[in-house]
Amino acid sequence: MKHTISVLVENKSGVLARIATLFAARGYNIDSLAVGETDDPTISRMTIVVNGDEKILEQVEKQLNKLIDVIKLNDFLNIEHIERDLVLIKVKADKNTRNEILQIVDIFRAKIIDVSVNTVIIEMTGDEDKIQAILNMLKPFGIKEVARTGIIAIARGA
Amino acid sequence: MLKTGAEIFAESLLKENVKVVFGIPGGQVLPIFDKIYDYRNKIRFVLTRHEQGAGHMADGYARSTGEVGVCLVTSGPGATNLTTALATANMDSIPMVAFTGQVATSLIGNDAFQEADTTGITRPVTKHNFLVKDVKELAKTIHEAFYIAKTGRQGPVLVDIPVDIQRAVTEFEYPETVDIRSYKPVYTGHAGQIKKAAELINSAKQPLLYVGGGIISSNASLELLKLAEKIHTPVTTTLLAIGCFPPNHPLNLYMPGMHGNYAANLAFQNCDLIIAIGARFDDRVTGKLTAFAPKAKIIHIDIDPTSISKNVFVNIPVVGDAKSIITELLKYVKKKNNKEWLKKISEWQKTNPFSYKKDSKLRPQYVIDKISQITKGEAIVVTEVGQNQMWAAQYYKPKFPRHFLSSGGLGTMGYGFPAAIGAKIANPKKIVIDIAGDGSIQMNIQELATAVLNNINVKIVILNNACLGMVRQWQELFYKRRYSAVCLSKPDGCLAMDASAKRPAAMIPDFVKLAESYGAVGIRITKKEDVESTLINALKIDKTVIMDFIVEEEENVLPMVPAGSALDEIITSLA
Ligand SMILES: Cc1ncc(C[n+]2csc(CCOP(=O)(O)OP(=O)(O)O)c2C)c(N)n1
């Protein structure tokens, strides 16, 4: 099962390594990991998406909680929350295809943020499904590069 | 007043009431060592011969007292040499603070001379670690390091101090209190859970107390005794808990597990309730997990929530400190009489107690039996790893907690002797004995110099079987007696250890001469009848003494639950 885990940590060097080591030591692959400062500059939020054995994950979450630098951990599995991922896609685009690509970008409410003679760069935010969908639509034109932030998430309501 | 980082270091240790520091200097800790010189009348510095030795000494100091053990080494190789000792302490939850020098902050990451990524290397083998990047943070960091080491589930903490920080100056102010927002250990157990646990205990017919090192860390031996007697429940003590329950008490089932007491293992398999306290269901205790304690419900009391439901399903978890939870529990449990259950257990105990052949041969178990009798279980016994460790666990019967020290989780050969030195320094009036194999003792034998030069009177008992006995035993039992690289007395690692290829005339090393070359006393014992008198005499000598007992080479540790077998598939004798 896919889990989105949100971890508030001390904004210090070495914290990322501590967290990554916990997953690595148990052979757990991290699907995505996004880190950024919160409104309090001494605290960072890490959003970690993982997929794998539930029992091991339960253990990893306990271990994470035990780390001295971890302030709070939330597994969003059964919590209503919003997830967003930002993606930059560089697609081949020339005179003949540019219009068609523009239409796709419009439908997805994405944005073109850079244009060159034979490529465009598209920026889009969304959840996993929406990002997969636009990538599928753009594939026939030739995707040159994709960069993603990884999912960030926040619980709904109070 | 302005102080240098090195002075702040020394002053902070005084604030933490540190009396002894173990270690070795080097280029990147010279400013601190210059202060060690100034503070030599307030803080004793013990110069060891290897950083691993320093780490284990701090560990032995901590295990035997409950106080935080402290060591100080240089950067790079000093720090890497320390890692085994950190891992050993980490596995057994021993409170320690290790300080390491580091290259100057401006050079970190440059592959500078004697640079190692110490915090990176030690991260998985410490409870926590710090790299100090600003002298203003130093005092606070040291205070936090001690606090983290000795609170919650205890463990080793490392503080890496770059050499320029040691020289930098700032106002010294030792913070009164520690407040780490992300670290709030829980001590008192959840009242509802405790009541539920009590109900389960009150209705159990065949309960078993399974206790580990947590009882010792939390100094809860007395409370445990009260609980066991009130609910009339037998107690099995893991390797790390030996000594927390009185020997020869009718409820004492001694050590469980792979080389554990037959009755303790059968008690697991037949009980209807396990009350686990400060123990972690290690695979050396449970045997084959799927067949472990098939009829039992489990109450698990532990300070570390990650230990709970890690290996076995737990019906009632209670997170918190053993002492406080047992005290609470005592209010809700009813006085019980489990006569039937205890009768069954004493049958098992009678049919298969720990035993060995009582013939004329010099058997290793006999040596430990005698040590236990002569010292009345009042000596601090430290062990190495292997057969010697298991025999010590089976036959030494310490009267008190903190009188049996052994590397349980990591199983570190070479732990015993330096840990014994640390324990002796902390308990100068106690007899301290390291029970060793001829393999393990060679892993930190260099500390003989530390012991002799500082008049640290520890006794080393070598159960010399001329081989890496525990590995040999496995090869005998599970690899058709194909002895591969286990013989310590012949050039090719002796592929055959048969009678025709007995020990060569010259012993390498000759432990008696070795002892003498260090200025210690060396005694060789080859006959059973000399064991008792030698021990009695050696204990009277106020010097470091090595006793080299030439024991039966192919003696096996029994009983034994083969790896992967269930606890009731225990082998009590070999054909
Ligand atoms: C540092 C280290 N290396 C290797 C081992 C694996 N090992 C476990 S027991 C053992 C043999 C110990 O031999 P010895 O010290 O002579 O004790 P004995 O078993 O003969 O009593 C070995 C090699 C270990 N536990 N620790």
Side-chain angles (χ1 to χ4, degrees):
Chain A
M1 187 139 3
K2 194 191 101 177
H3 287 250
T4 305
I5 305 167
S6 172
V7 196
L8 290 176
V9 298
E10 295 289 340
N11 185 6
K12 282 184 195 161
S13 68
V15 176
L16 177 60
R18 268 179 221 287
I19 288 180
T21 310
L22 271 187
F23 285 92
R26 283 156 192 81
Y28 231 90
N29 188 31
I30 295 176
D31 289 349
S32 78
L33 184 148
V35 195
E37 248 178 50
T38 62
D39 53 327
D40 176 346
T42 67
I43 299 179
S44 298
R45 183 188 295 276
M46 290 193 186
T47 311
I48 306 168
V49 179
V50 288
N51 217 322
D53 183 274
E54 294 292 312
K55 221 182 122 50
I56 301 179
L57 188 64
E58 189 193 322
Q59 182 62 19
V60 171
E61 289 187 3
K62 282 188 188 170
Q63 299 272 8
L64 282 173
N65 256 319
K66 188 170 145 184
L67 288 178
I68 308 286
D69 290 329
V70 169
I71 300 167
K72 192 170 159 50
L73 179 146
N74 263 320
D75 186 331
F76 284 151
L77 187 63
N78 297 310
I79 296 177
E80 257 204 85
H81 67 283
I82 305 277
E83 290 188 356
R84 286 291 179 272
D85 194 348
L86 186 146
V87 62
L88 300 177
I89 312 162
K90 192 189 281 176
V91 197
K92 281 192 197 156
D94 53 31
K95 282 202 293 286
N96 305 324
T97 57
R98 200 166 287 141
N99 254 334
E100 221 178 314
I101 291 174
L102 259 173
Q103 276 176 14
I104 294 173
V105 166
D106 264 357
I107 293 167
F108 280 90
R109 294 198 199 145
K111 262 193 294 195
I112 295 206
I113 52 173
D114 189 55
V115 184
S116 74
V117 186
N118 39 27
T119 61
V120 292
I121 296 177
I122 299 162
E123 175 200 308
M124 191 183 79
T125 55
D127 58 16
E128 184 63 30
D129 290 349
K130 186 176 167 192
I131 289 174
Q132 271 313 321
I134 196 171
L135 287 173
N136 287 342
M137 297 298 291
L138 293 171
K139 212 175 208 166
F141 301 96
I143 294 176
K144 297 196 67 149
E145 267 182 275
V146 175
R148 294 173 66 164
T149 56
I151 283 171
I152 55 169
I154 209 158
R156 276 182 191 265
Chain B
M1 210 176 65
L2 288 181
K3 286 194 185 331
T4 65
E7 268 179 290
I8 290 172
F9 168 87
E11 286 293 329
S12 302
L13 291 202
L14 288 182
K15 292 272 183 199
E16 291 296 334
N17 207 10
V18 173
K19 296 178 201 85
V20 191
V21 177
F22 304 91
I24 301 184
Q28 310 301 345
V29 270
L30 282 175
I32 286 182
F33 272 88
D34 194 50
K35 283 296 149 215
I36 293 281
Y37 186 90
D38 287 339
Y39 283 73
R40 64 188 180 281
N41 294 327
K42 293 181 185 144
I43 301 169
R44 176 174 181 191
F45 186 82
V46 177
L47 173 64
T48 68
R49 293 299 177 272
H50 190 294
E51 288 85 355
Q52 187 189 350
H56 291 324
M57 284 178 210
D59 175 315
Y61 188 96
R63 282 191 213 227
S64 65
T65 58
E67 287 162 29
V68 178
V70 181
C71 55
L72 166 66
V73 304
T74 192
S75 67
T80 55
N81 269 351
L82 188 65
T83 51
T84 301
L86 292 172
T88 303
N90 197 44
M91 285 291 260
D92 291 347
S93 312
I94 304 307
M96 254 172 75
V97 174
F99 294 96
T100 47
Q102 181 56 278
V103 301
T105 40
S106 59
L107 293 176
I108 290 179
N110 281 11
D111 293 334
F113 178 63
Q114 293 195 324
E115 177 183 2
D117 174 8
T118 302
T119 48
I121 291 168
T122 60
R123 194 170 293 128
V125 295
T126 51
K127 179 173 176 185
H128 195 59
N129 63 21
F130 297 92
L131 169 62
V132 182
K133 287 190 287 193
D134 182 344
V135 70
K136 290 192 195 79
E137 295 286 310
L138 183 59
K140 177 170 171 273
T141 304
I142 294 176
H143 199 171
E144 288 184 359
F146 277 87
Y147 176 75
I148 291 169
K150 66 189 176 194
T151 54
R153 178 175 179 170
Q154 303 178 334
V157 178
L158 180 138
V159 183
D160 200 20
I161 313 177
V163 68
D164 54 324
I165 304 291
Q166 300 169 32
R167 285 194 211 101
V169 285
T170 188
E171 204 64 51
F172 173 64
E173 196 188 331
Y174 205 67
E176 289 284 309
T177 52
V178 173
D179 179 34
I180 307 170
R181 62 180 160 192
S182 51
Y183 177 69
K184 306 274 181 223
V186 174
Y187 288 96
T188 44
H190 187 278
Q193 292 294 94
I194 292 175
K195 280 183 196 148
K196 273 195 223 157
E199 276 164 33
L200 207 52
I201 292 171
N202 290 338
S203 64
K205 301 241 154 30
Q206 310 203 133
L208 173 66
L209 276 155
Y210 152 53
V211 304
I215 293 286
I216 295 196
S217 315
S218 120
N219 299 314
S221 303
L222 251 165
E223 289 74 11
L224 172 68
L225 182 62
K226 279 190 204 155
L227 178 66
E229 288 182 340
K230 182 164 185 192
I231 64 174
H232 204 221
T233 296
V235 181
T236 180
T237 51
T238 68
L239 184 69
L240 288 189
I242 291 176
C244 80
F245 200 73
N248 306 318
H249 188 290
L251 292 173
N252 197 337
L253 286 191
Y254 304 101
M255 183 173 75
M258 180 173 272
H259 292 297
N261 194 11
Y262 178 84
N265 287 344
L266 262 75
F268 267 127
Q269 297 307 82
N270 290 281
C271 66
D272 61 359
L273 175 67
I274 295 174
I275 310 156
I277 312 179
R280 58 191 177 89
F281 295 89
D282 179 76
D283 55 275
R284 284 291 191 262
V285 166
T286 62
K288 185 173 164 187
L289 259 184
T290 49
F292 174 70
K295 298 168 207 151
K297 292 208 164 136
I298 300 181
I299 297 168
H300 194 171
I301 298 167
D302 206 289
I303 195 141
D304 178 5
T306 70
S307 286
I308 295 176
S309 287
K310 182 171 65 180
N311 298 334
V312 296
F313 173 77
V314 169
N315 302 79
I316 301 183
V318 193
V319 176
D321 173 56
K323 190 177 189 130
S324 122
I325 292 173
I326 299 174
T327 307
E328 281 304 297
L329 207 48
L330 274 165
K331 295 182 190 159
Y332 303 106
V333 291
K334 297 203 184 90
K335 204 163 164 48
K336 289 177 64 133
N337 188 332
N338 297 315
K339 235 185 351 200
E340 288 306 307
W341 169 230
L342 281 154
K343 214 171 96 193
K344 221 186 266 186
I345 286 175
S346 70
E347 297 286 298
W348 296 327
Q349 186 63 43
K350 258 179 246 153
T351 47
N352 283 298
F354 288 129
S355 66
Y356 57 94
K357 245 204 204 125
K358 305 232 159 73
D359 55 9
S360 63
K361 291 188 170 147
L362 174 36
R363 296 190 188 269
Q365 302 95 321
Y366 175 77
V367 177
I368 296 167
D369 231 354
K370 281 291 156 206
I371 291 174
S372 200
Q373 287 170 21
I374 292 168
T375 62
K376 302 197 207 78
E378 289 169 4
I380 297 177
V381 159
V382 189
T383 80
E384 300 290 345
V385 168
Q387 294 182 311
N388 59 85
Q389 176 183 36
M390 291 298 113
W391 285 319
Q394 294 178 342
Y395 294 97
Y396 183 64
K397 302 259 152 61
K399 260 194 206 157
F400 316 107
R402 303 194 183 278
H403 281 59
F404 183 86
L405 319 180
S406 193
S407 164
L410 200 65
T412 308
M413 288 171 72
Y415 167 78
F417 178 38
I421 294 177
K424 181 72 185 176
I425 287 179
N427 303 271
K429 297 220 173 83
K430 288 265 172 190
I431 294 173
V432 178
I433 304 174
D434 174 36
I435 294 188
D438 47 328
S440 299
I441 192 64
Q442 293 186 63
M443 288 208 180
N444 274 315
I445 192 77
Q446 75 286 343
E447 302 306 335
L448 267 174
T450 312
V452 172
L453 282 171
N454 294 291
N455 285 321
I456 299 159
N457 157 5
V458 293
K459 303 291 180 267
I460 302 170
V461 166
I462 302 178
L463 302 174
N464 189 338
N465 52 13
C467 61
L468 298 169
M470 186 55 95
V471 182
R472 185 209 56 73
Q473 174 169 346
W474 283 58
Q475 291 178 352
E476 175 185 340
L477 301 180
F478 310 115
Y479 292 89
K480 303 195 178 110
R481 209 163 175 268
R482 285 155 52 89
Y483 289 155
S484 176
V486 290
C487 174
L488 296 170
S489 62
K490 284 172 218 84
D492 56 358
C494 68
L495 296 173
M497 267 207 14
D498 53 70
S500 62
K502 274 284 172 199
R503 297 165 196 258
M507 298 193 135
I508 301 176
D510 180 328
F511 286 111
V512 172
K513 286 188 191 153
L514 183 91
E516 284 163 359
S517 78
Y518 276 100
V521 176
I523 310 171
R524 178 161 300 120
I525 304 91
T526 57
K527 290 198 212 85
K528 184 180 181 182
E529 56 266 31
D530 296 337
V531 170
E532 191 160 1
S533 57
T534 308
L535 282 168
I536 290 171
N537 289 332
L539 292 181
K540 287 187 198 139
I541 304 173
D542 190 20
K543 274 189 168 179
T544 308
V545 180
I546 290 189
M547 284 165 268
D548 187 23
F549 291 90
I550 309 300
V551 298
E552 277 303 289
E553 293 181 4
E554 295 194 70
E555 189 74 28
N556 286 319
V557 180
L558 286 172
M560 176 170 195
V561 179
S565 298
L567 290 182
D568 42 14
E569 296 173 281
I570 185 166
I571 302 169
T572 53
S573 68
L574 296 168

